[in-house]
Amino acid sequence: MRISVFGCGYLGAVHAAAMASLGHEVVGIDPDAAKIALLSSGRTPFFEPGLPELLTAGLARGRLRFTTDPSEAAAADVHFVGVGTPQRKDGTGADLTYVDQAIADLLPYLRHGALVVGKSTVPVGTAARLAKIVGAVGARLAWNPEFLREGYAVKDTIEPDRLVYGLDAATAEQDAALLDEVYASAIAHDTPRIVTDYATSELVKVAANSFLATKISFINAMAEIAEVVGGDVTQLADALGHDTRIGRRFLNAGVGFGGGCLPKDIRAFAARAEELGRGDSVAFLKQVDEINLRRRQHMVDRVVDSFGGIVHGRRVAVLGLAFKPFSDDVRDSPALDIAVRLNGLGAEVMSHDPEAIPNSRRLHPQLTYTEDLDEALEGAEAVVLVTEWNVYRGLDPVATAAKVARPVIFDGRNVLDPPAWRAAGWTCTGMGR
Ligand code: UGA
């Protein structure tokens, strides 16, 4: 099929490359010329395992191209909209500027009968509004939320857990058939497919992210209690997780969730619910957010306490900046936030991350960064692990003790084996254990 993808950020670039790998003829469109130049040469503006290979293959086969020119969408049968919906600068709702702009850019080139497919995470009600705009030129709209995780984006796009089609009841059958053609490979692998209305499809996405965020804040709330009573939240999570109704995934306590999705999505959902007169229904999301943000300060407090209350002038190695491993994304990252807070208190912070230093430096040039893990550890009076990269999980407690000035480590992701570290002379403090 001939496909256009508006927006070549995380979602759009991966979607375009994945669709090309499935045999479709794809053009990715984005107004950012630098991004387009990079993608056209097979490189990615962000770190995502497997994506460069997919891009290179698509470009080489001539099935994938990138442009800043929206008129190149004219030949496509299906137009995906995968632009960002960041948090508004003046509030907690979603900023729909890029979605509206993409639709406006596409509109002059929309053929009668073409299908516009929204993938961006939007406030419920957006699809119905956009359907009227594209309907005016004889095109149709579908909403098809994306559930990809950074770090696994390629796999999640090509082999999704489920497909959700939000469709206009009047044309549902033909629109579903068109989407089935796009996703023929996933359909052939019996991927569950839910065909529904616009509102439900929009809600599925924010409800899923709200549920995941709530699960993480739930276990972090248990971590707060476990700390007071001397319990171990990781054992608690293991025990809870054996109940298959609860499940063990997304029950890892630590410094909390971050990234470009969970934090802004729960805030936007709460803001939208207020507008709908149902703020009370999701009032708990405010607490989910608060519990989450508390974790960062809690970590900072523990580090400061370990120095008797004053961290000024003390050497602290912060291991990790990305909001999670296998990503260079530092949007709303607890790890970067903790480094910034410690630096703000006057600590001599030395930050390390295998991938996220350039993005961190752009946002916080005042921090000191090193790409050399040994250099980060050398002379440190406290080590703070805040992103669970394998290179940190694999640190040897004995060898690491020889590098630091004071063997004190804080495990913000509960991935170290405290007895092994203690046996090597460390004071090892986890989160909620
Ligand atoms: C999230 C969702 O998992 C995807 O399904 C969704 O498509 C995506 O947002 C989106 O809306 O686009 P992502 O932001 O890539 O994906 O990252 P996650 O793997 O969900 O992790 C989010 C944060 O939660 C990370 O900071 C991670 O460290 C933290 N986390 C995760 C915990 O603190 N504990 C856990 O047990 C799991």
Side-chain angles (χ1 to χ4, degrees), residues 121 146-151 205 209 212 216 219-220 249-262 265 323-325 334 388 413:
T121 302
E146 179 57 58
F147 304 98
L148 66 80
R149 295 160 300 167
E150 293 187 15
K205 172 65 193 217
N209 277 359
L212 294 171
I216 298 168
I219 202 65
N220 277 327
R249 295 177 73 188
F250 270 71
L251 271 190
N252 294 320
V255 291
F257 59 81
C261 301
L262 261 45
D265 286 353
F323 83 106
K324 67 173 189 178
E388 66 276 34
R413 294 293 182 183

PDB file of all heavy atoms in Angstrom, residues 121 146-151 205 209 212 216 219-220 249-262 265 323-325 334 388 413, ligand 1:
ATOM      1  N   THR A 121      -1.324  10.316  20.862  1.00  0.00           N
ATOM      2  CA  THR A 121      -2.139  10.215  22.074  1.00  0.00           C
ATOM      3  C   THR A 121      -2.854  11.549  22.273  1.00  0.00           C
ATOM      4  O   THR A 121      -2.203  12.580  22.451  1.00  0.00           O
ATOM      5  CB  THR A 121      -1.237   9.907  23.284  1.00  0.00           C
ATOM      6  OG1 THR A 121      -0.532   8.701  23.011  1.00  0.00           O
ATOM      7  CG2 THR A 121      -2.049   9.754  24.554  1.00  0.00           C
ATOM      8  N   GLU A 146      -1.194   3.952  19.470  1.00  0.00           N
ATOM      9  CA  GLU A 146       0.068   3.215  19.430  1.00  0.00           C
ATOM     10  C   GLU A 146       0.489   2.887  20.865  1.00  0.00           C
ATOM     11  O   GLU A 146       0.380   3.717  21.744  1.00  0.00           O
ATOM     12  CB  GLU A 146       1.118   4.138  18.769  1.00  0.00           C
ATOM     13  CG  GLU A 146       2.488   3.558  18.659  1.00  0.00           C
ATOM     14  CD  GLU A 146       2.468   2.254  17.893  1.00  0.00           C
ATOM     15  OE1 GLU A 146       2.032   2.249  16.734  1.00  0.00           O
ATOM     16  OE2 GLU A 146       2.891   1.226  18.472  1.00  0.00           O
ATOM     17  N   PHE A 147       0.994   1.679  21.070  1.00  0.00           N
ATOM     18  CA  PHE A 147       1.368   1.276  22.428  1.00  0.00           C
ATOM     19  C   PHE A 147       2.851   0.948  22.534  1.00  0.00           C
ATOM     20  O   PHE A 147       3.267   0.195  23.422  1.00  0.00           O
ATOM     21  CB  PHE A 147       0.530   0.067  22.878  1.00  0.00           C
ATOM     22  CG  PHE A 147      -0.952   0.320  22.804  1.00  0.00           C
ATOM     23  CD1 PHE A 147      -1.708  -0.112  21.735  1.00  0.00           C
ATOM     24  CD2 PHE A 147      -1.578   1.037  23.820  1.00  0.00           C
ATOM     25  CE1 PHE A 147      -3.077   0.144  21.662  1.00  0.00           C
ATOM     26  CE2 PHE A 147      -2.942   1.289  23.766  1.00  0.00           C
ATOM     27  CZ  PHE A 147      -3.694   0.841  22.680  1.00  0.00           C
ATOM     28  N   LEU A 148       3.666   1.478  21.631  1.00  0.00           N
ATOM     29  CA  LEU A 148       5.075   1.074  21.639  1.00  0.00           C
ATOM     30  C   LEU A 148       5.814   1.614  22.855  1.00  0.00           C
ATOM     31  O   LEU A 148       5.492   2.669  23.385  1.00  0.00           O
ATOM     32  CB  LEU A 148       5.775   1.527  20.356  1.00  0.00           C
ATOM     33  CG  LEU A 148       5.974   3.003  20.044  1.00  0.00           C
ATOM     34  CD1 LEU A 148       7.148   3.598  20.788  1.00  0.00           C
ATOM     35  CD2 LEU A 148       6.191   3.164  18.550  1.00  0.00           C
ATOM     36  N   ARG A 149       6.787   0.822  23.292  1.00  0.00           N
ATOM     37  CA  ARG A 149       7.675   1.243  24.385  1.00  0.00           C
ATOM     38  C   ARG A 149       9.000   1.643  23.780  1.00  0.00           C
ATOM     39  O   ARG A 149       9.507   0.955  22.880  1.00  0.00           O
ATOM     40  CB  ARG A 149       7.929   0.071  25.343  1.00  0.00           C
ATOM     41  CG  ARG A 149       6.721  -0.422  26.090  1.00  0.00           C
ATOM     42  CD  ARG A 149       6.965  -1.829  26.600  1.00  0.00           C
ATOM     43  NE  ARG A 149       7.225  -2.765  25.485  1.00  0.00           N
ATOM     44  CZ  ARG A 149       7.716  -3.989  25.620  1.00  0.00           C
ATOM     45  NH1 ARG A 149       8.036  -4.443  26.816  1.00  0.00           N
ATOM     46  NH2 ARG A 149       7.907  -4.764  24.570  1.00  0.00           N
ATOM     47  N   GLU A 150       9.582   2.717  24.270  1.00  0.00           N
ATOM     48  CA  GLU A 150      10.918   3.082  23.812  1.00  0.00           C
ATOM     49  C   GLU A 150      11.864   1.939  24.187  1.00  0.00           C
ATOM     50  O   GLU A 150      11.707   1.303  25.222  1.00  0.00           O
ATOM     51  CB  GLU A 150      11.362   4.393  24.466  1.00  0.00           C
ATOM     52  CG  GLU A 150      10.513   5.546  23.982  1.00  0.00           C
ATOM     53  CD  GLU A 150      11.002   6.908  24.446  1.00  0.00           C
ATOM     54  OE1 GLU A 150      12.151   7.017  24.914  1.00  0.00           O
ATOM     55  OE2 GLU A 150      10.217   7.857  24.334  1.00  0.00           O
ATOM     56  N   GLY A 151      12.804   1.701  23.323  1.00  0.00           N
ATOM     57  CA  GLY A 151      13.739   0.602  23.564  1.00  0.00           C
ATOM     58  C   GLY A 151      13.267  -0.701  22.912  1.00  0.00           C
ATOM     59  O   GLY A 151      14.053  -1.585  22.613  1.00  0.00           O
ATOM     60  N   LYS A 205      -5.885   4.251  25.078  1.00  0.00           N
ATOM     61  CA  LYS A 205      -4.486   4.650  25.216  1.00  0.00           C
ATOM     62  C   LYS A 205      -4.203   5.330  26.553  1.00  0.00           C
ATOM     63  O   LYS A 205      -3.283   4.944  27.286  1.00  0.00           O
ATOM     64  CB  LYS A 205      -4.128   5.579  24.053  1.00  0.00           C
ATOM     65  CG  LYS A 205      -2.787   6.213  24.143  1.00  0.00           C
ATOM     66  CD  LYS A 205      -1.684   5.179  24.059  1.00  0.00           C
ATOM     67  CE  LYS A 205      -0.372   5.793  24.471  1.00  0.00           C
ATOM     68  NZ  LYS A 205       0.732   5.309  23.708  1.00  0.00           N
ATOM     69  N   ASN A 209      -1.988   3.806  29.861  1.00  0.00           N
ATOM     70  CA  ASN A 209      -0.855   4.492  30.491  1.00  0.00           C
ATOM     71  C   ASN A 209      -1.177   4.891  31.932  1.00  0.00           C
ATOM     72  O   ASN A 209      -0.297   4.855  32.806  1.00  0.00           O
ATOM     73  CB  ASN A 209      -0.418   5.696  29.662  1.00  0.00           C
ATOM     74  CG  ASN A 209       0.523   5.284  28.532  1.00  0.00           C
ATOM     75  OD1 ASN A 209       0.848   4.107  28.395  1.00  0.00           O
ATOM     76  ND2 ASN A 209       0.955   6.236  27.729  1.00  0.00           N
ATOM     77  N   LEU A 212      -0.735   1.728  34.028  1.00  0.00           N
ATOM     78  CA  LEU A 212       0.687   1.407  34.239  1.00  0.00           C
ATOM     79  C   LEU A 212       1.304   2.365  35.260  1.00  0.00           C
ATOM     80  O   LEU A 212       2.042   1.936  36.163  1.00  0.00           O
ATOM     81  CB  LEU A 212       1.451   1.493  32.910  1.00  0.00           C
ATOM     82  CG  LEU A 212       1.064   0.442  31.864  1.00  0.00           C
ATOM     83  CD1 LEU A 212       1.727   0.761  30.522  1.00  0.00           C
ATOM     84  CD2 LEU A 212       1.445  -0.964  32.336  1.00  0.00           C
ATOM     85  N   ILE A 216       2.863   1.468  39.092  1.00  0.00           N
ATOM     86  CA  ILE A 216       4.194   1.846  39.579  1.00  0.00           C
ATOM     87  C   ILE A 216       4.065   2.677  40.857  1.00  0.00           C
ATOM     88  O   ILE A 216       4.786   2.442  41.834  1.00  0.00           O
ATOM     89  CB  ILE A 216       4.973   2.637  38.497  1.00  0.00           C
ATOM     90  CG1 ILE A 216       5.189   1.778  37.250  1.00  0.00           C
ATOM     91  CG2 ILE A 216       6.324   3.108  39.038  1.00  0.00           C
ATOM     92  CD1 ILE A 216       5.694   2.550  36.034  1.00  0.00           C
ATOM     93  N   ILE A 219       3.226   0.498  43.917  1.00  0.00           N
ATOM     94  CA  ILE A 219       4.342  -0.222  44.558  1.00  0.00           C
ATOM     95  C   ILE A 219       5.308   0.768  45.216  1.00  0.00           C
ATOM     96  O   ILE A 219       5.915   0.465  46.247  1.00  0.00           O
ATOM     97  CB  ILE A 219       5.045  -1.189  43.568  1.00  0.00           C
ATOM     98  CG1 ILE A 219       5.797  -2.294  44.332  1.00  0.00           C
ATOM     99  CG2 ILE A 219       5.969  -0.464  42.603  1.00  0.00           C
ATOM    100  CD1 ILE A 219       4.947  -3.237  45.109  1.00  0.00           C
ATOM    101  N   ASN A 220       5.397   1.964  44.681  1.00  0.00           N
ATOM    102  CA  ASN A 220       6.239   2.966  45.341  1.00  0.00           C
ATOM    103  C   ASN A 220       5.615   3.441  46.651  1.00  0.00           C
ATOM    104  O   ASN A 220       6.330   3.759  47.602  1.00  0.00           O
ATOM    105  CB  ASN A 220       6.520   4.139  44.400  1.00  0.00           C
ATOM    106  CG  ASN A 220       7.674   3.826  43.460  1.00  0.00           C
ATOM    107  OD1 ASN A 220       8.608   3.113  43.836  1.00  0.00           O
ATOM    108  ND2 ASN A 220       7.613   4.338  42.241  1.00  0.00           N
ATOM    109  N   ARG A 249       4.909  -7.695  36.505  1.00  0.00           N
ATOM    110  CA  ARG A 249       5.480  -6.639  35.659  1.00  0.00           C
ATOM    111  C   ARG A 249       4.963  -5.255  36.074  1.00  0.00           C
ATOM    112  O   ARG A 249       3.833  -5.113  36.514  1.00  0.00           O
ATOM    113  CB  ARG A 249       5.150  -6.910  34.192  1.00  0.00           C
ATOM    114  CG  ARG A 249       5.815  -8.191  33.722  1.00  0.00           C
ATOM    115  CD  ARG A 249       5.440  -8.521  32.312  1.00  0.00           C
ATOM    116  NE  ARG A 249       6.096  -7.613  31.388  1.00  0.00           N
ATOM    117  CZ  ARG A 249       5.818  -7.574  30.084  1.00  0.00           C
ATOM    118  NH1 ARG A 249       4.901  -8.371  29.582  1.00  0.00           N
ATOM    119  NH2 ARG A 249       6.468  -6.752  29.297  1.00  0.00           N
ATOM    120  N   PHE A 250       5.827  -4.255  35.926  1.00  0.00           N
ATOM    121  CA  PHE A 250       5.499  -2.881  36.329  1.00  0.00           C
ATOM    122  C   PHE A 250       5.233  -2.767  37.823  1.00  0.00           C
ATOM    123  O   PHE A 250       4.467  -1.927  38.271  1.00  0.00           O
ATOM    124  CB  PHE A 250       4.342  -2.312  35.491  1.00  0.00           C
ATOM    125  CG  PHE A 250       4.864  -1.626  34.264  1.00  0.00           C
ATOM    126  CD1 PHE A 250       5.404  -2.354  33.230  1.00  0.00           C
ATOM    127  CD2 PHE A 250       4.869  -0.241  34.173  1.00  0.00           C
ATOM    128  CE1 PHE A 250       5.951  -1.725  32.116  1.00  0.00           C
ATOM    129  CE2 PHE A 250       5.414   0.403  33.068  1.00  0.00           C
ATOM    130  CZ  PHE A 250       5.952  -0.346  32.044  1.00  0.00           C
ATOM    131  N   LEU A 251       5.878  -3.637  38.588  1.00  0.00           N
ATOM    132  CA  LEU A 251       5.797  -3.552  40.047  1.00  0.00           C
ATOM    133  C   LEU A 251       7.193  -3.327  40.619  1.00  0.00           C
ATOM    134  O   LEU A 251       7.465  -3.747  41.739  1.00  0.00           O
ATOM    135  CB  LEU A 251       5.199  -4.824  40.634  1.00  0.00           C
ATOM    136  CG  LEU A 251       3.679  -4.908  40.802  1.00  0.00           C
ATOM    137  CD1 LEU A 251       3.316  -6.147  41.614  1.00  0.00           C
ATOM    138  CD2 LEU A 251       3.086  -3.665  41.492  1.00  0.00           C
ATOM    139  N   ASN A 252       8.057  -2.673  39.869  1.00  0.00           N
ATOM    140  CA  ASN A 252       9.392  -2.395  40.388  1.00  0.00           C
ATOM    141  C   ASN A 252       9.413  -1.023  41.036  1.00  0.00           C
ATOM    142  O   ASN A 252       9.226  -0.010  40.371  1.00  0.00           O
ATOM    143  CB  ASN A 252      10.431  -2.463  39.270  1.00  0.00           C
ATOM    144  CG  ASN A 252      10.564  -3.869  38.729  1.00  0.00           C
ATOM    145  OD1 ASN A 252      10.539  -4.838  39.503  1.00  0.00           O
ATOM    146  ND2 ASN A 252      10.650  -4.011  37.424  1.00  0.00           N
ATOM    147  N   ALA A 253       9.639  -1.040  42.356  1.00  0.00           N
ATOM    148  CA  ALA A 253       9.722   0.230  43.089  1.00  0.00           C
ATOM    149  C   ALA A 253      11.084   0.855  42.831  1.00  0.00           C
ATOM    150  O   ALA A 253      12.043   0.177  42.479  1.00  0.00           O
ATOM    151  CB  ALA A 253       9.520  -0.020  44.571  1.00  0.00           C
ATOM    152  N   GLY A 254      11.161   2.150  43.006  1.00  0.00           N
ATOM    153  CA  GLY A 254      12.429   2.839  42.810  1.00  0.00           C
ATOM    154  C   GLY A 254      12.213   4.330  42.773  1.00  0.00           C
ATOM    155  O   GLY A 254      11.399   4.864  43.530  1.00  0.00           O
ATOM    156  N   VAL A 255      12.943   4.994  41.871  1.00  0.00           N
ATOM    157  CA  VAL A 255      12.820   6.455  41.786  1.00  0.00           C
ATOM    158  C   VAL A 255      11.656   6.890  40.887  1.00  0.00           C
ATOM    159  O   VAL A 255      11.475   8.084  40.641  1.00  0.00           O
ATOM    160  CB  VAL A 255      14.139   7.129  41.337  1.00  0.00           C
ATOM    161  CG1 VAL A 255      15.191   7.006  42.423  1.00  0.00           C
ATOM    162  CG2 VAL A 255      14.642   6.559  40.023  1.00  0.00           C
ATOM    163  N   GLY A 256      10.878   5.926  40.407  1.00  0.00           N
ATOM    164  CA  GLY A 256       9.631   6.276  39.745  1.00  0.00           C
ATOM    165  C   GLY A 256       9.695   6.356  38.233  1.00  0.00           C
ATOM    166  O   GLY A 256      10.741   6.164  37.625  1.00  0.00           O
ATOM    167  N   PHE A 257       8.532   6.669  37.659  1.00  0.00           N
ATOM    168  CA  PHE A 257       8.438   6.691  36.192  1.00  0.00           C
ATOM    169  C   PHE A 257       8.732   8.081  35.635  1.00  0.00           C
ATOM    170  O   PHE A 257       8.553   9.096  36.303  1.00  0.00           O
ATOM    171  CB  PHE A 257       7.068   6.196  35.712  1.00  0.00           C
ATOM    172  CG  PHE A 257       5.880   6.970  36.213  1.00  0.00           C
ATOM    173  CD1 PHE A 257       5.505   8.161  35.604  1.00  0.00           C
ATOM    174  CD2 PHE A 257       5.107   6.498  37.268  1.00  0.00           C
ATOM    175  CE1 PHE A 257       4.397   8.869  36.043  1.00  0.00           C
ATOM    176  CE2 PHE A 257       3.999   7.205  37.732  1.00  0.00           C
ATOM    177  CZ  PHE A 257       3.638   8.392  37.118  1.00  0.00           C
ATOM    178  N   GLY A 258       9.187   8.091  34.388  1.00  0.00           N
ATOM    179  CA  GLY A 258       9.440   9.339  33.671  1.00  0.00           C
ATOM    180  C   GLY A 258       9.181   9.102  32.204  1.00  0.00           C
ATOM    181  O   GLY A 258       8.421   8.206  31.834  1.00  0.00           O
ATOM    182  N   GLY A 259       9.811   9.908  31.358  1.00  0.00           N
ATOM    183  CA  GLY A 259       9.674   9.721  29.916  1.00  0.00           C
ATOM    184  C   GLY A 259       8.690  10.697  29.304  1.00  0.00           C
ATOM    185  O   GLY A 259       8.060  11.510  29.990  1.00  0.00           O
ATOM    186  N   GLY A 260       8.534  10.563  27.992  1.00  0.00           N
ATOM    187  CA  GLY A 260       7.690  11.492  27.252  1.00  0.00           C
ATOM    188  C   GLY A 260       6.225  11.104  27.254  1.00  0.00           C
ATOM    189  O   GLY A 260       5.411  11.776  26.610  1.00  0.00           O
ATOM    190  N   CYS A 261       5.850  10.015  27.959  1.00  0.00           N
ATOM    191  CA  CYS A 261       4.465   9.542  27.850  1.00  0.00           C
ATOM    192  C   CYS A 261       3.721   9.478  29.176  1.00  0.00           C
ATOM    193  O   CYS A 261       2.768  10.224  29.390  1.00  0.00           O
ATOM    194  CB  CYS A 261       4.446   8.182  27.169  1.00  0.00           C
ATOM    195  SG  CYS A 261       5.178   8.247  25.521  1.00  0.00           S
ATOM    196  N   LEU A 262       4.150   8.558  30.065  1.00  0.00           N
ATOM    197  CA  LEU A 262       3.372   8.329  31.287  1.00  0.00           C
ATOM    198  C   LEU A 262       3.088   9.623  32.053  1.00  0.00           C
ATOM    199  O   LEU A 262       1.923   9.917  32.364  1.00  0.00           O
ATOM    200  CB  LEU A 262       4.085   7.301  32.188  1.00  0.00           C
ATOM    201  CG  LEU A 262       3.584   5.856  32.131  1.00  0.00           C
ATOM    202  CD1 LEU A 262       3.359   5.366  30.720  1.00  0.00           C
ATOM    203  CD2 LEU A 262       4.489   4.921  32.901  1.00  0.00           C
ATOM    204  N   ASP A 265       0.789  11.990  30.006  1.00  0.00           N
ATOM    205  CA  ASP A 265      -0.511  11.391  29.679  1.00  0.00           C
ATOM    206  C   ASP A 265      -1.457  11.371  30.882  1.00  0.00           C
ATOM    207  O   ASP A 265      -2.665  11.625  30.731  1.00  0.00           O
ATOM    208  CB  ASP A 265      -0.342   9.968  29.118  1.00  0.00           C
ATOM    209  CG  ASP A 265       0.189   9.977  27.692  1.00  0.00           C
ATOM    210  OD1 ASP A 265       0.297  11.074  27.108  1.00  0.00           O
ATOM    211  OD2 ASP A 265       0.505   8.896  27.169  1.00  0.00           O
ATOM    212  N   PHE A 323      15.526   8.105  31.161  1.00  0.00           N
ATOM    213  CA  PHE A 323      14.380   7.759  32.028  1.00  0.00           C
ATOM    214  C   PHE A 323      14.240   6.251  32.206  1.00  0.00           C
ATOM    215  O   PHE A 323      13.567   5.799  33.117  1.00  0.00           O
ATOM    216  CB  PHE A 323      13.086   8.381  31.490  1.00  0.00           C
ATOM    217  CG  PHE A 323      12.393   7.607  30.396  1.00  0.00           C
ATOM    218  CD1 PHE A 323      11.228   6.903  30.657  1.00  0.00           C
ATOM    219  CD2 PHE A 323      12.896   7.593  29.107  1.00  0.00           C
ATOM    220  CE1 PHE A 323      10.569   6.196  29.663  1.00  0.00           C
ATOM    221  CE2 PHE A 323      12.251   6.885  28.098  1.00  0.00           C
ATOM    222  CZ  PHE A 323      11.086   6.188  28.378  1.00  0.00           C
ATOM    223  N   LYS A 324      14.908   5.497  31.325  1.00  0.00           N
ATOM    224  CA  LYS A 324      14.966   4.040  31.479  1.00  0.00           C
ATOM    225  C   LYS A 324      16.087   3.538  30.575  1.00  0.00           C
ATOM    226  O   LYS A 324      16.552   4.275  29.691  1.00  0.00           O
ATOM    227  CB  LYS A 324      13.625   3.392  31.124  1.00  0.00           C
ATOM    228  CG  LYS A 324      13.252   3.504  29.660  1.00  0.00           C
ATOM    229  CD  LYS A 324      12.006   2.687  29.378  1.00  0.00           C
ATOM    230  CE  LYS A 324      11.723   2.579  27.908  1.00  0.00           C
ATOM    231  NZ  LYS A 324      10.562   1.765  27.599  1.00  0.00           N
ATOM    232  N   PRO A 325      16.541   2.295  30.770  1.00  0.00           N
ATOM    233  CA  PRO A 325      17.622   1.784  29.920  1.00  0.00           C
ATOM    234  C   PRO A 325      17.175   1.604  28.466  1.00  0.00           C
ATOM    235  O   PRO A 325      15.978   1.575  28.179  1.00  0.00           O
ATOM    236  CB  PRO A 325      17.964   0.426  30.536  1.00  0.00           C
ATOM    237  CG  PRO A 325      17.204   0.313  31.787  1.00  0.00           C
ATOM    238  CD  PRO A 325      16.093   1.302  31.751  1.00  0.00           C
ATOM    239  N   PRO A 334      13.503  10.810  35.995  1.00  0.00           N
ATOM    240  CA  PRO A 334      13.838  10.891  37.420  1.00  0.00           C
ATOM    241  C   PRO A 334      15.357  10.950  37.622  1.00  0.00           C
ATOM    242  O   PRO A 334      15.831  11.670  38.504  1.00  0.00           O
ATOM    243  CB  PRO A 334      13.270   9.585  37.996  1.00  0.00           C
ATOM    244  CG  PRO A 334      12.269   9.101  37.013  1.00  0.00           C
ATOM    245  CD  PRO A 334      12.709   9.603  35.671  1.00  0.00           C
ATOM    246  N   GLU A 388      18.673   1.653  35.320  1.00  0.00           N
ATOM    247  CA  GLU A 388      19.222   0.302  35.492  1.00  0.00           C
ATOM    248  C   GLU A 388      19.866  -0.261  34.221  1.00  0.00           C
ATOM    249  O   GLU A 388      19.522  -1.332  33.750  1.00  0.00           O
ATOM    250  CB  GLU A 388      18.163  -0.637  36.077  1.00  0.00           C
ATOM    251  CG  GLU A 388      16.950  -0.946  35.186  1.00  0.00           C
ATOM    252  CD  GLU A 388      15.843   0.092  35.251  1.00  0.00           C
ATOM    253  OE1 GLU A 388      16.111   1.287  35.408  1.00  0.00           O
ATOM    254  OE2 GLU A 388      14.671  -0.322  35.097  1.00  0.00           O
ATOM    255  N   ARG A 413      16.964   1.726  41.688  1.00  0.00           N
ATOM    256  CA  ARG A 413      16.123   0.827  40.881  1.00  0.00           C
ATOM    257  C   ARG A 413      16.061  -0.586  41.455  1.00  0.00           C
ATOM    258  O   ARG A 413      15.542  -1.512  40.803  1.00  0.00           O
ATOM    259  CB  ARG A 413      16.648   0.783  39.436  1.00  0.00           C
ATOM    260  CG  ARG A 413      16.507   2.117  38.682  1.00  0.00           C
ATOM    261  CD  ARG A 413      15.061   2.472  38.433  1.00  0.00           C
ATOM    262  NE  ARG A 413      14.896   3.715  37.685  1.00  0.00           N
ATOM    263  CZ  ARG A 413      13.697   4.239  37.404  1.00  0.00           C
ATOM    264  NH1 ARG A 413      12.592   3.642  37.797  1.00  0.00           N
ATOM    265  NH2 ARG A 413      13.596   5.361  36.744  1.00  0.00           N
TER     266      ARG A 413
HETATM  267  C1  UGA B   1       5.018   3.782  27.907  1.00  0.00           C
HETATM  268  C2  UGA B   1       4.093   2.569  27.851  1.00  0.00           C
HETATM  269  O1  UGA B   1       4.697   1.467  28.532  1.00  0.00           O
HETATM  270  C3  UGA B   1       3.830   2.182  26.388  1.00  0.00           C
HETATM  271  O2  UGA B   1       2.913   1.098  26.352  1.00  0.00           O
HETATM  272  C4  UGA B   1       3.231   3.392  25.670  1.00  0.00           C
HETATM  273  O3  UGA B   1       2.977   3.111  24.314  1.00  0.00           O
HETATM  274  C5  UGA B   1       4.196   4.545  25.758  1.00  0.00           C
HETATM  275  O4  UGA B   1       4.446   4.855  27.146  1.00  0.00           O
HETATM  276  C6  UGA B   1       3.595   5.704  25.046  1.00  0.00           C
HETATM  277  O5  UGA B   1       2.589   6.235  25.511  1.00  0.00           O
HETATM  278  O6  UGA B   1       4.048   6.029  23.964  1.00  0.00           O
HETATM  279  P1  UGA B   1       7.658   4.125  27.687  1.00  0.00           P
HETATM  280  O7  UGA B   1       7.401   5.549  28.079  1.00  0.00           O
HETATM  281  O8  UGA B   1       8.560   3.842  26.545  1.00  0.00           O
HETATM  282  O9  UGA B   1       6.267   3.397  27.357  1.00  0.00           O
HETATM  283  O10 UGA B   1       8.310   3.437  28.951  1.00  0.00           O
HETATM  284  P2  UGA B   1       7.919   2.322  30.025  1.00  0.00           P
HETATM  285  O11 UGA B   1       8.639   1.097  29.727  1.00  0.00           O
HETATM  286  O12 UGA B   1       6.456   2.251  30.207  1.00  0.00           O
HETATM  287  O13 UGA B   1       8.551   2.971  31.332  1.00  0.00           O
HETATM  288  C7  UGA B   1       8.044   4.194  31.848  1.00  0.00           C
HETATM  289  C8  UGA B   1       8.758   4.567  33.128  1.00  0.00           C
HETATM  290  O14 UGA B   1       8.316   3.734  34.194  1.00  0.00           O
HETATM  291  C9  UGA B   1      10.273   4.455  33.107  1.00  0.00           C
HETATM  292  O15 UGA B   1      10.824   5.608  33.717  1.00  0.00           O
HETATM  293  C10 UGA B   1      10.552   3.227  33.950  1.00  0.00           C
HETATM  294  O16 UGA B   1      11.800   3.291  34.593  1.00  0.00           O
HETATM  295  C11 UGA B   1       9.413   3.291  34.944  1.00  0.00           C
HETATM  296  N1  UGA B   1       9.072   1.979  35.548  1.00  0.00           N
HETATM  297  C12 UGA B   1       8.623   0.973  34.765  1.00  0.00           C
HETATM  298  C13 UGA B   1       9.176   1.822  36.922  1.00  0.00           C
HETATM  299  O17 UGA B   1       9.578   2.744  37.658  1.00  0.00           O
HETATM  300  N2  UGA B   1       8.837   0.614  37.464  1.00  0.00           N
HETATM  301  C14 UGA B   1       8.378  -0.416  36.709  1.00  0.00           C
HETATM  302  O18 UGA B   1       8.081  -1.483  37.278  1.00  0.00           O
HETATM  303  C15 UGA B   1       8.286  -0.238  35.333  1.00  0.00           C
END
